[in-house]
Amino acid sequence: MARLQIEAVSKRFGATDAVREVNLDIADGEFMVLLGPSGCGKSTLLRMIAGLEAPTSGRLLLDGRDITDVAPQQRDLAMVFQSYALYPHLTVARNIGFPLKSRRVPRAKIAERVAEVAATLALTPLLDRRPSALSGGQRQRVALARAMVRDPGAFLMDEPLSNLDARLRSATRAELIALHRRLGSTFLYVTHDQVEAMTMATRIALLNDGQIEQVGAPTELYDTPRTTFVAAFLGAPPMNLLPATVVARGGELRVLADGLDAPLGIADTCDDTPVTVGFRPERLRPTTGVGAVRGQVTMVENLGSEEVVHLTVGDRQVSARVPRPAGVVAGGQLALSVGPADLHLFHPESGQRLTWQADVPDPMTARTELPVA
Ligand SMILES: Nc1ncnc2c1ncn2[C@@H]1O[C@H](COP(=O)(O)OP(=O)(O)O)[C@@H](O)[C@H]1O
Ligand SMILES: [Mg+2]
């Protein structure tokens, strides 16, 4: 069992607020990913949970027990770092068994447990080697095995795949997902890589400048980003975001900007209201009609499976991810369609999602009553 509760935890380094009043309740058995750009406080938060850094304020609870001031070794947690930090002079077997040896577990018991864990991670044939005779992926598995050997309640991992090449990273992602399923332990995993977060997490906590922007299932963050920061962080290319105005035309609401005229699919009236409108590149489709989005193509990237078309809409850049061949070339004009359900509206200053769900009232949307996304 390992439920982790982070209660109003802050960390200050001199004048830097690395982590600011973070609240997060991680259920037993979750695969929680702390995601965010470099420097947003992910490692600091993880290190506080591991006990390697003391919070400036706030509390940490493990299964309801306050562990804020408990020594790292006394927390039922295991940490896996980006650099594997294996002992170069010890064999794989002795590296894996090290945490047990330092806890004075009997030798026979250590051998038994090392064999078990090695089998789980397909390391059995490598037990007699030294780290220098292993590939990056194998070393990473040894580091994982060393964390698993104690059978901790929770695993804390800080960018453990970032030193692996792309192919190995993808394979190890799949292994971690399988491992999590098999062990049923709580995983708390730090990364700046949205693909890792989207593919592995049961929930993502997206951090920005020491604060949590949004917590939820990967699809929740992707489909209903709560802020423009979340919208712009996820997706490749990320969501297009443009300043626009919601207007009523002929009894229907539309969102307008230079090169953009898209119906919101609602019959209503309203005063002209400035917004930030968002739409994902993969939701745009070339059309022979007038098109909701119109612009001049600046570049076409061929991804093999599809193409990313970059275009100038008004004075903004927009990207569209379209099936191949799109049949467009740089310099040409392009019209694209987008459905009302694929439009996201945000407050032009705060960047907060203008939601039309009853539980998050907003003066503007309460009036316009946009449909549930
Ligand atoms: N030991 C430290 N002393 C001073 N500043 C630090 C220390 N550790 C981290 N920071 C600062 O705290 C902020 C968050 O850092 P970090 O948690 O490492 O971010 P991330 O892991 O998301 O890249 C950064 O501005 C970083 O420079
Ligand atoms: Mg870090």
Side-chain angles (χ1 to χ4, degrees), residues 48 51 53-55 58-61 65-70 75:
M48 287 193 283
E53 207 80 71
R59 286 204 314 165
L60 295 162
L61 305 178
R65 183 170 76 106
D66 191 332
I67 56 159
T68 317
D69 301 315
V70 172
R75 304 182 184 195

Side-chain angles (χ1 to χ4, degrees), residues 151-166:
D151 197 14
F155 290 91
L156 311 179
M157 305 190 195
D158 194 349
E159 314 238 8
L161 307 187
S162 56
N163 287 340
L164 306 182
D165 66 44

Side-chain angles (χ1 to χ4, degrees), residues 8-28:
V9 165
S10 297
K11 180 67 183 183
R12 186 168 248 275
F13 294 109
T16 308
D17 284 310
V19 173
R20 300 191 279 166
E21 297 261 333
V22 164
N23 289 290
L24 195 57
D25 190 344
I26 305 164
D28 180 46

Side-chain angles (χ1 to χ4, degrees), residues 342-356:
D342 293 321
L343 296 171
H344 305 252
L345 300 181
F346 302 93
H347 192 281
E349 276 115 46
S350 70
Q352 294 287 315
R353 183 181 190 82
L354 296 176
T355 171
W356 33 92

Side-chain angles (χ1 to χ4, degrees), residues 227-248:
T227 63
T228 48
F229 179 87
V230 180
F233 195 85
L234 297 175
M239 185 182 283
N240 296 297
L241 294 166
L242 284 78
T245 310
V246 173
V247 302

Side-chain angles (χ1 to χ4, degrees), residues 157-277:
M157 305 190 195
D158 194 349
E159 314 238 8
L161 307 187
S162 56
N163 287 340
L164 306 182
D165 66 44
R167 201 184 48 81
L168 200 53
R169 212 179 308 144
S170 151
T172 315
R173 274 204 315 263
E175 273 177 28
L176 280 175
I177 294 168
L179 183 70
H180 173 253
R181 207 166 287 155
R182 194 146 14 102
L183 299 177
S185 329
T186 309
F187 280 38
L188 182 55
Y189 185 102
V190 161
T191 185
H192 66 275
D193 182 325
Q194 56 164 314
V195 176
E196 287 180 22
M198 290 298 291
T199 52
M200 297 195 293
T202 51
R203 282 196 302 160
I204 297 173
L206 183 53
L207 286 164
N208 175 23
D209 197 16
Q211 289 181 302
I212 292 187
E213 286 271 333
Q214 188 169 358
V215 185
T219 49
E220 232 175 301
L221 269 67
Y222 195 85
D223 295 340
T224 49
R226 200 180 284 163
T227 63
T228 48
F229 179 87
V230 180
F233 195 85
L234 297 175
M239 185 182 283
N240 296 297
L241 294 166
L242 284 78
T245 310
V246 173
V247 302
R249 287 282 158 80
E252 183 194 46
L253 299 189
R254 308 183 74 85
V255 54
L256 294 187
D258 194 5
L260 173 81
D261 181 356
L264 285 171
I266 302 154
D268 204 347
T269 57
C270 75
D271 296 332
D272 293 3
T273 309
V275 294
T276 296
V277 65

